[in-house]
Amino acid sequence: MAVLVLAEVNGAELSLDQTAKTVTAVASLGDVTVLCASSGCAGAAEAAAKIEGVAKVLCADDAAYGNGLAEPIADLIVSLAGDYDYIVAPATTDGKNILPRVAALLDVMVISEVTTIVSADTFERPIYAGNAIQTVQSSDAKKVMSIRTTGFEAAPETGSASVETINAVANPGLSEWVEDRVQTSDRPELTSAKIVVSGGRGVGSKENFAIIEQLADKLGAAVGASRAAVDSGYAPNDWQVGQTGKVVAPDLYIAIGISGAIQHLAGMKDSKVIVAINKDEEAPIFQVADYGLVADLFDAVPALNDALG
């Protein structure tokens, strides 16, 4: 059995956390080859070669792959698919964009958000906002699947795989990149941060969200938000945690002024330690919290900020 893992490459830089966790998830399925497809991805390929469990790295360095467009990358993967039984990617924005096209071109199903590899043809994934686990058995000759990486540990950087440069395939020209508008931040990236501090509707306003950001900065944490807070304009869309936002599983998740609707819980309930601050003692968030503080956040959070110095 052979596995092709599409590495998460942002520009020319490897997203080591997402890629290494995906390698851990599929290591039991067979020999793992990692594909780095981007512009100037030689450095990303070298980084991927250090991931334990990787047998080989393929580097497709071409401008057509530089911005994560699904059409040219999917055609590249399909050209390689004959040598692999599994085609896998982390369940990120890029993975969710590319894999369905790959599956359609191969005329197979795509198995999304896999959380457990049960056997060579059987997998588990969450459904109904994480309230049920579905077991999927696939008879497809080639399995195309995305991995929800939050449930896996990153493979260590102790490997020494070979790196092979491969040629690009013809660009179908079905889409083109116009521009990226990227917000820069000194804070950790939300999906890979060890600590996340999130605010909800209870924060009350965009101006009040400053106390959430202050606490996050003192803890070296990423800032998250509930959908209610985002919809109310308190926080930007890329901070949203939940079923329709980002899925996180940090070592510490601090939920402030968040009631804990199931859509939000679906995005953070796998966190190792959950701390909730809410003045409503009946808030659903307390059912999943390891530590809960029933208090007014406008008293508790400033006091916590002061205590941290």
Side-chain angles (χ1 to χ4, degrees):
M1 294 290 193
V3 184
L4 180 66
V5 171
L6 176 63
E8 181 76 4
V9 181
N10 300 314
E13 183 177 348
L14 179 73
S15 176
L16 182 62
D17 186 70
Q18 294 288 349
T19 306
K21 287 180 177 179
T22 303
V23 170
T24 296
V26 301
S28 63
L29 294 175
D31 292 335
V32 176
T33 298
V34 172
L35 170 63
C36 292
S38 188
S39 178
C41 62
E46 292 294 340
K50 297 178 182 177
I51 299 174
E52 183 67 33
V54 174
K56 183 169 66 174
V57 177
L58 303 178
C59 178
D61 186 345
D62 192 272
Y65 309 136
N67 298 288
L69 295 179
E71 291 81 2
I73 295 178
D75 280 8
L76 173 65
I77 293 172
V78 170
S79 74
L80 301 169
D83 296 329
Y84 300 96
D85 304 287
Y86 302 89
I87 298 170
V88 185
T92 58
T93 301
D94 286 344
K96 291 175 182 178
N97 187 32
I98 295 167
L99 288 188
R101 184 172 181 84
V102 172
L105 291 171
L106 294 174
D107 195 24
V108 299
M109 70 182 293
V110 60
I111 308 170
S112 59
E113 302 276 349
V114 170
T115 55
T116 304
I117 308 292
V118 178
S119 67
D121 65 353
T122 306
F123 316 94
E124 291 182 353
R125 65 180 180 185
I127 57 174
Y128 303 131
N131 286 294
I133 300 298
Q134 181 183 57
T135 301
V136 180
Q137 186 172 37
S138 172
S139 60
D140 288 332
K142 295 187 185 300
K143 295 4 178 230
V144 177
M145 54 189 182
S146 63
I147 302 294
R148 180 177 285 196
T149 57
T150 54
F152 300 94
E153 295 294 330
E157 297 177 72
T158 54
S160 57
S162 61
V163 178
E164 177 184 338
T165 300
I166 61 173
N167 295 325
V169 297
N171 187 345
L174 297 174
S175 61
E176 64 178 16
W177 171 79
V178 178
E179 65 175 336
D180 283 338
R181 296 185 181 182
V182 181
Q183 290 185 327
T184 58
S185 174
D186 293 332
R187 299 188 182 109
E189 204 280 321
L190 183 57
T191 56
S192 59
K194 299 299 183 185
I195 304 174
V196 174
V197 180
S198 282
R201 194 201 310 269
V203 177
S205 70
K206 183 177 181 180
E207 291 71 27
N208 289 341
F209 229 84
I211 64 172
I212 305 296
E213 296 180 60
Q214 183 182 2
L215 177 59
D217 290 340
K218 289 192 174 184
L219 293 173
V223 179
S226 67
R227 178 171 180 172
V230 171
D231 288 349
S232 299
Y234 303 166
N237 183 265
D238 59 333
W239 289 2
Q240 184 176 323
V241 173
Q243 184 181 11
T244 54
K246 295 179 178 177
V247 177
V248 300
D251 293 336
L252 173 62
Y253 187 89
I254 304 177
I256 301 172
I258 295 174
S259 62
I262 60 171
Q263 291 86 354
H264 185 76
L265 298 183
M268 45 67 70
K269 65 182 181 182
D270 289 331
S271 304
K272 292 181 175 61
V273 176
I274 300 172
V275 174
I277 301 174
N278 199 300
K279 65 181 179 181
D280 178 11
E281 63 182 19
E282 301 297 326
I285 192 70
F286 288 123
Q287 297 177 15
V288 299
D290 297 286
Y291 301 94
L293 176 61
V294 179
D296 189 320
L297 69 89
F298 296 108
D299 294 328
V301 178
L304 182 54
N305 279 327
D306 290 343
L308 290 170

